[in-house]
DNA sequence: GATGAATGAGCTTTCATTCAT
DNA sequence: CATGAATGAAAGCTCATTCAT
């Protein structure tokens, strides 16, 4: 039942990997072809040009983003739920790391890209605001909490963490996702009670 | 008393500006020379190679970083002091925007760079930890607060904000530094009381 | 009795059409295949390589050229007969336009081609010389006319016209074949009386 | 007083030469550079792109064309004057052979080019018409001659000759310019008396 | 007999850098 | 000290052609 890996996939995988490591411009078509184990010109038969490779990743990102809603089923417990959101974002970034990175690094070359990248945090913020409003009504969240600000804070926090995690690796400021969730997110959550 | 602007500075300024806008690889020596109003080869007389230009910016960054300590004079009021830290970081990033950006975008090309970039957050964290410990002793900060975690959270927060501010501009998630400090930082501070 | 059009013909037709419009080098095998509605590799199954396509056209040209003799049946009237020769050449060029054009444009790539292309004018010249000699004897053509020179002139004239007609279209110097024959050829003919 | 040959000229000369021999597309930038004895990239410092090289030749052609008027000083003798026109055109074509050829061969790639190429014949035609009108008045040219038609014929004739001369060399139909002028042009002229 | 996938050589162009003046 | 001219290497991309199915 060996799953066949198509040339398209081989190329996209190689591209994605190199993108993470070296950024868009440094990821030459020659290197992609080499990493994918195909001829350089094959690459252009499969994807009209280098930019098309990015667009392909974006498409996947955008279609995946629609599934995020379904991934968040509130438990009613603040700590658990906030952790869930953090993990949701983290997993998504992990799964689309290459795109997340060039969304930062090469956004000037792909002006539309940053708008796509930011859609996930914005969607999560909406989810948070909706959920926090409910939690406030049910008394789980302290009545004095400013939801809009808190939600923004939380998103900024996990975005900052993703940044540290993926760019500033091994710099002394990075904490594992598990630790981050166990400690910092939990700490954040406590304040809302 | 007209301050003469040297060729060195003209080049570095042009380089810095283009770096912000287009990233390292897209900033070609031709463009730098053009923007600086000098001949392309002049550039190489002043700076051994393109990388040297980065190193020059780093040197400035590193020497400036030493002055940060002096910039933080605690007032004793939590909110005020935390705001001060946020502004301190923000101003520093503003003043070294180009470097901050390539620290993210082109870190793979300059492995040592991210270690330098991260030094500021780490230094601020140290300052925070030291200051919070004092505040805890003096009762200004709640005895239950976990200083290490809270400090990390705070740094992550302002780093996340800097990211949004400088990369994801005009995406709907960015708030002005003033608003961020007035609302989100203040909110964060309140929880510590 | 629907005449089936073979793949060979589809390809040759597409090739011929593109050749007229874009010349040999710009007529890529991809475009030929596309225009013919077949797969690019099919093309190579039918014709060993791109040059073979030219050779195929040449063959047709060469076999058609043999029929030219039969196409000229002298009427005895100078004007009528000269017009007939001009039309003969014109029709032939029309029918083999693609080849005529690359005979000019890409002759360096096909050294033998120009020798083939020139065969038609040369054949017509022979016909002319033979016919004019007879006409001179019968008194239709002025005894002082130098046949060799006049024949050369005439051929050069209709070649020049074909050139203007097919290359320098819409440039202000081109006259329709009908006008050319009605006016210029007639004028030329008058001088021989 | 050795005339220095600039790199610009070296490149243009090489380009021009290769153009005559091989046409536009086959004349690769690599070959040009090689023939000019410079590095391929030098070529692009001197001329923005390959097309610019053509434009450069065109400019020369167009500025030279203005001098043609001055080159025709009527003697009053029909034969002499017509010969002069034929020579004028011939010399011009010789001096701009490369352009004349790609004007035919690659006209589809340079749509504006053929309009420029045709300007010389058209200018010569104007000169002819003007001159023939005068000659008709003075009685040198037969009153029955249709000037417009005759001029067109003559231009078509020398264009046809140029074509044969430059493309269909060594094919058996080509006559030397000297012979062409001495025999055919003279013959043509006689008819006008 | 026709196709889709793959290839290597070659194209035009831009890069960072060096050299002579 | 600054420049203009030159360079080799490498970029993205297209070409005619072959091979397995």
């Amino acid at each position: 039942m060996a799953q066949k890996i198509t040339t398209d996939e081989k190329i996209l995988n190689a591209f994605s990997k190199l993108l993470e490591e070296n950024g868009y411009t440094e990821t030459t078509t020659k290197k992609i072809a080499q990493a994918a184990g195909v001829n350089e010109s094959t690459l252009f038969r499969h994807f009209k040009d280098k930019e098309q490779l990015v667009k392909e990743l974006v498409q996947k990102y955008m279609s995946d983003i629609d599934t995020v809603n379904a991934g968040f089923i509130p438990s009613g417990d603040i700590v658990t739920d906030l952790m869930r959101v953090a993990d949701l974002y983290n997993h998504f970034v992990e799964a689309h790391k290459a795109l997340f990175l060039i969304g930062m690094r090469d956004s000037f070359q792909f002006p539309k890209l940053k708008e796509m990248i930011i859609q996930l945090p914005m969607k999560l913020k909406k989810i948070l605001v909706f959920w926090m409003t409910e939690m406030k009504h049910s008394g789980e969240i302290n009545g004095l909490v400013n939801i809009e600000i808190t939600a923004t804070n939380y998103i900024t926090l996990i975005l900052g963490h993703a940044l540290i995690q993926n760019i500033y690796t091994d710099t002394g400021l990075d904490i594992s996702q598990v630790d981050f969730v166990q400690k910092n997110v939990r700490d954040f959550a406590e304040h809302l009670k």
Side-chain angles (χ1 to χ4, degrees), chain A:
Chain A
M1 208 78 87
Q3 189 75 14
K4 254 194 190 171
I5 183 161
T6 69
T7 301
D8 270 41
E9 284 165 344
K10 274 197 281 182
I11 293 172
L12 272 175
N13 289 344
F15 176 59
S16 181
K17 184 167 168 283
L18 290 170
L19 215 46
E20 286 180 29
E21 293 166 6
N22 308 321
Y24 182 75
T25 316
E26 299 297 306
T27 298
T28 69
T29 53
K30 195 177 218 161
K31 285 183 198 159
I32 300 169
Q34 231 158 17
V38 301
N39 186 281
E40 194 180 354
S41 55
T42 299
L43 197 152
F44 289 94
R45 265 183 64 84
H46 286 249
F47 305 93
K48 131 182 208 315
D49 57 16
K50 204 180 152 190
E51 279 200 32
Q52 186 60 37
L53 287 166
V54 177
K55 288 182 190 152
E56 221 70 31
L57 292 186
V58 170
Q59 200 160 3
K60 209 179 182 183
Y61 183 94
M62 291 308 286
S63 77
D64 281 6
I65 222 173
D66 290 335
T67 70
V68 167
N69 264 336
F72 180 63
I73 301 147
S75 73
D77 176 53
I78 302 178
V79 174
T80 308
D81 286 350
L82 278 187
M83 281 178 167
R84 183 86 191 96
V85 170
D87 278 340
L88 219 57
Y89 185 72
N90 179 254
H91 287 147
F92 201 92
V93 167
E94 275 297 318
H96 301 87
K97 199 167 174 178
L99 206 58
F100 173 78
L101 288 176
I102 71 160
M104 291 189 179
R105 306 203 276 219
D106 307 288
S107 55
F108 45 83
Q109 274 181 56
F110 307 100
K112 284 181 187 169
L113 193 54
K114 56 180 182 179
E115 289 167 30
M116 326 225 90
I117 298 292
I118 208 70
Q119 286 201 11
L120 180 59
M122 290 188 68
K123 186 158 201 172
L124 287 178
K125 189 185 159 188
K126 260 188 201 164
I127 293 177
L128 269 182
V129 168
F130 181 76
W131 167 81
M132 286 175 79
T133 308
E134 285 198 340
M135 292 307 240
K136 207 172 173 179
H137 285 166
S138 70
E140 294 286 323
I141 286 185
N142 187 327
L144 298 173
V145 165
N146 181 326
I147 289 179
E148 185 70 20
I149 290 176
T150 307
T152 303
N153 259 12
Y154 191 68
I155 294 300
T156 307
L157 186 69
I158 61 181
L159 230 165
H161 177 63
L163 170 69
I164 292 170
Q165 207 56 12
N166 289 291
I167 304 266
Y168 299 130
T169 22
D170 309 319
T171 51
L173 203 71
D174 52 334
I175 330 162
S176 77
Q177 172 69 6
V178 174
D179 273 9
F180 177 71
V181 165
Q182 281 298 327
K183 295 180 186 155
N184 301 55
V185 167
R186 180 181 295 272
D187 188 65
F188 187 96
E190 296 297 342
H191 292 307
L192 303 182
K193 291 187 178 171

